[in-house]
Amino acid sequence: MVLVTGGTGLVGAHLLLHLVDNEDSVRAIYREAATIKKTKDLFELYQKENLFSKIHWVQADIIDVPSLEIAFQNVEYVYHCAAVISYDPKDESLLRKVNIEGTANIVNFCLEYNIKKLCHVSSIAALGDLASHEKEITEATEWNPEVLHSDYAISKYGAEMEIWRGQQEGLNVVVVNPGIILGPGFWGQGSGVFFSSIQKGFPFYTKGIKAYVGVTDVVKIMTRLLQSPIVGERFTIVAENLPFDKVIFEIADNLKAKKPKLEAKPWMLAIAWRLDWFFATFFRTKRKLSKYTATSLTTATFISNTKIKNALNFEFQSIDAVIKRIVILQEK
């Protein structure tokens, strides 16, 4: 039996589809029954709704220890995909609670139930920081606590510390650090906002360089790593490092939507995040642009995928092909 946490998110839902399509015995946890519909809709999007009933759903929460007792019964392998993704500074305590404490709970249960192997979905946000002489981030790049990090990045770094603690206590683990994950079915959240915003005519773009990967590649790598003898390793999962404007324009072309015409310069973003902070502080609006996010939008970051390509002899889909596939599926 395989247990999947976060099965109602982009990665978890695609992972469930991949697992049941390969006839694995799968259990997935959910917090609220309404969220399961997102996963069911994804199966329908791929025209594989007949497979959805093969998932054994259990109501549980990774920060609610008693609820996990049932979820771990007769489980041999675990994929830990559940996490909160937020760049709103107001969500700091939630991020730490779910991403760090929740991961600690999963590790503890894996140890208690003698789980054969745990695959943890981390993030490139938890990778290290380049020194002045370095040009490309790898799995071995050291984390610098003096560098500005988002609360999300800190929470994912803390979650990894729990994973390595589990390894030291005898748990077989493997960690994946995906870049910005692109995939269909979740246009209202995460990277799906790129598509929905451009479709609505969002006018701005930036020229920062970021790492991208298709969700199906992430899932394929996760399952291959779990089935492999590889343990105690982390892998960056990145298909391409691309300028943000190139990705945005490619999405617009495939959607047959207007391309954004206004470049958001660093000075504009500096004003924007301050205004965003002002309205959030005094009018209690939801933060849309933090200082960290504003800075990252114009920063060029290059992340290596050499280790995973060599370990699995893996070839990534191009991001152009990923975007085309997403749009075709969504427009069915």
Side-chain angles (χ1 to χ4, degrees):
M1 173 73 74
V2 176
L3 175 65
V4 176
T5 75
T8 58
L10 175 64
V11 174
H14 278 85
L15 175 61
L16 289 173
L17 177 59
H18 181 83
L19 291 172
V20 296
D21 202 18
N22 285 276
E23 300 185 349
D24 287 309
S25 178
V26 181
R27 179 179 297 153
I29 66 174
Y30 69 94
R31 287 184 300 158
E32 299 176 2
T35 61
I36 297 176
K37 186 178 183 303
K38 293 187 293 184
T39 304
K40 186 177 182 180
D41 289 345
L42 184 78
F43 275 60
E44 292 175 356
L45 189 68
Y46 281 98
Q47 298 181 346
K48 294 188 177 183
E49 54 268 35
N50 60 305
L51 298 176
F52 182 77
S53 61
K54 294 185 177 183
I55 303 169
H56 176 212
W57 291 95
V58 174
Q59 188 168 19
D61 192 324
I62 64 172
I63 60 174
D64 179 22
V65 172
S67 72
L68 292 174
E69 292 281 356
I70 298 175
F72 270 83
Q73 297 294 323
N74 302 314
V75 169
E76 293 181 294
Y77 298 93
V78 176
Y79 292 97
H80 180 37
C81 309
V84 170
I85 302 174
S86 174
Y87 293 93
D88 187 340
K90 292 180 180 178
D91 289 334
E92 178 185 2
S93 61
L94 177 64
L95 287 163
R96 291 178 180 272
K97 184 74 175 176
V98 175
N99 295 352
I100 300 178
E101 293 183 30
T103 299
N105 291 336
I106 294 299
V107 168
N108 292 339
F109 271 91
C110 285
L111 290 166
E112 181 180 348
Y113 282 81
N114 296 313
I115 297 303
K116 293 180 179 179
K117 196 171 182 180
L118 165 66
C119 177
H120 172 62
V121 181
S122 186
S123 167
I124 55 171
L127 296 173
D129 306 285
L130 290 176
S132 58
H133 65 282
E134 296 175 320
K135 295 183 179 179
E136 189 176 51
I137 295 174
T138 71
E139 294 84 351
T141 305
E142 293 187 8
W143 176 277
N144 183 354
E146 302 300 320
V147 172
L148 174 67
H149 297 100
S150 67
D151 292 322
Y152 171 68
I154 293 170
S155 73
K156 293 299 284 184
Y157 178 78
E160 282 197 30
M161 293 305 99
E162 292 296 336
I163 297 297
W164 303 129
R165 187 260 302 173
Q167 181 197 13
Q168 291 174 348
E169 295 180 24
L171 178 62
N172 289 327
V173 302
V174 66
V175 175
V176 295
N177 298 78
I180 297 173
I181 304 172
L182 302 178
F186 291 79
W187 279 25
Q189 62 192 70
S191 64
V193 175
F194 296 164
F195 292 82
S196 58
S197 296
I198 292 168
Q199 198 169 45
K200 294 174 183 176
F202 190 73
F204 297 101
Y205 67 90
T206 67
K207 290 184 173 292
I209 296 176
K210 298 300 170 194
Y212 300 87
V213 65
V215 67
T216 54
D217 279 346
V218 176
V219 166
K220 287 177 183 177
I221 288 171
M222 289 169 61
T223 54
R224 286 181 60 179
L225 284 174
L226 197 77
Q227 295 163 4
S228 78
I230 298 171
V231 295
E233 298 283 351
R234 73 199 298 224
F235 296 90
T236 59
I237 310 301
V238 171
E240 296 181 79
N241 297 282
L242 296 170
F244 189 61
D245 58 340
K246 181 183 186 303
V247 174
I248 292 299
F249 294 163
E250 184 69 25
I251 292 173
D253 285 341
N254 278 274
L255 289 172
K256 296 179 174 57
K258 290 183 179 179
K259 293 181 181 179
K261 294 183 178 180
L262 303 175
E263 180 184 354
K265 303 283 188 179
W267 66 267
M268 296 167 64
L269 290 168
I271 294 173
W273 78 256
R274 287 174 170 84
L275 288 173
D276 187 60
W277 170 87
F278 176 83
F279 283 105
T281 301
F282 295 102
F283 297 97
R284 300 189 180 279
T285 58
K286 178 72 174 176
R287 288 294 298 271
K288 299 179 180 66
L289 185 68
S290 67
K291 179 181 179 181
Y292 175 85
T293 304
T295 302
S296 68
L297 284 171
T298 57
T299 302
T301 305
F302 296 89
I303 297 177
S304 172
N305 63 7
T306 301
K307 183 177 178 180
I308 190 63
K309 291 180 74 173
N310 290 341
L312 298 181
N313 192 27
F314 193 85
E315 289 298 325
F316 287 91
Q317 301 175 77
S318 71
I319 295 304
D320 284 355
V322 170
I323 292 171
K324 285 181 174 65
R325 177 62 173 161
I326 292 170
V327 173
I328 289 172
L329 281 171
Q330 291 290 162
E331 291 183 343
K332 278 187 177 180

